[in-house]
Amino acid sequence: VQLVESGGGLVQAGGSLRLSCATSGFDFEDYAIAWFRQVPGKKREGIGCIMNSVDSTYYGDSVKRRFTISSDHAKKTVYLQMNSLQPAETAVYYCALGSFCGSYYYADDTAYDYWGSGTQVTVSS
């Protein structure tokens, strides 16, 4: 199993970025992919997730209506479109593989078995 994030970088406050999570080594349709972010010294924060079998998504309250998760099934890649980014959202962003997506699971990092190495997102003020 492999998950590789890309698309991070430096953006000004109010700007947008799209992260990608390229996956391999498992049946893409059978699993959920979640996005988390982490600031050094702080707990990993769940952003949202997508259940690939039905393309259903769930988002945390802090990113609803600004962030969108989508899947390209042919490419086995999951995207995180982030709009109206703020400096407090500077973090390393990770994608993770698990079996479930929903109001409980999206924020529970123990529910996800495989992780990418992360991509840095820096939002300047």
Side-chain angles (χ1 to χ4, degrees):
V1 173
Q2 196 169 22
L3 298 92
V4 180
E5 302 94 340
S6 61
L10 176 65
V11 63
Q12 287 190 327
S16 299
L17 275 178
R18 189 178 81 155
L19 306 184
S20 300
C21 175
T23 75
S24 61
F26 62 96
D27 192 336
F28 188 79
E29 304 300 323
D30 288 347
Y31 291 92
I33 298 291
W35 286 94
F36 288 79
R37 61 189 177 192
Q38 189 170 27
V39 175
K42 292 194 174 181
K43 189 178 180 292
R44 203 173 278 172
E45 176 190 8
I47 295 170
C49 53
I50 186 166
M51 191 70 218
N52 289 326
S53 58
V54 291
D55 280 341
S56 64
T57 54
Y58 190 89
Y59 301 94
D61 287 342
S62 65
V63 305
K64 268 181 194 172
R65 292 177 292 279
R66 296 189 300 121
F67 289 15
T68 303
I69 298 173
S70 61
S71 288
D72 183 326
H73 293 253
K75 294 182 178 179
K76 297 185 179 182
T77 298
V78 174
Y79 302 99
L80 175 64
Q81 176 67 44
M82 305 185 293
N83 299 326
S84 301
L85 282 161
Q86 299 303 314
E89 297 181 294
T90 294
V92 177
Y93 284 68
Y94 299 90
C95 60
L97 169 67
S99 297
F100 306 103
C101 171
S103 59
Y104 175 81
Y105 295 102
Y106 88 96
D108 179 8
D109 59 2
T110 68
Y112 296 89
D113 301 314
Y114 295 92
W115 294 76
S117 59
T119 185
Q120 175 71 45
V121 172
T122 302
V123 185
S124 63
S125 57

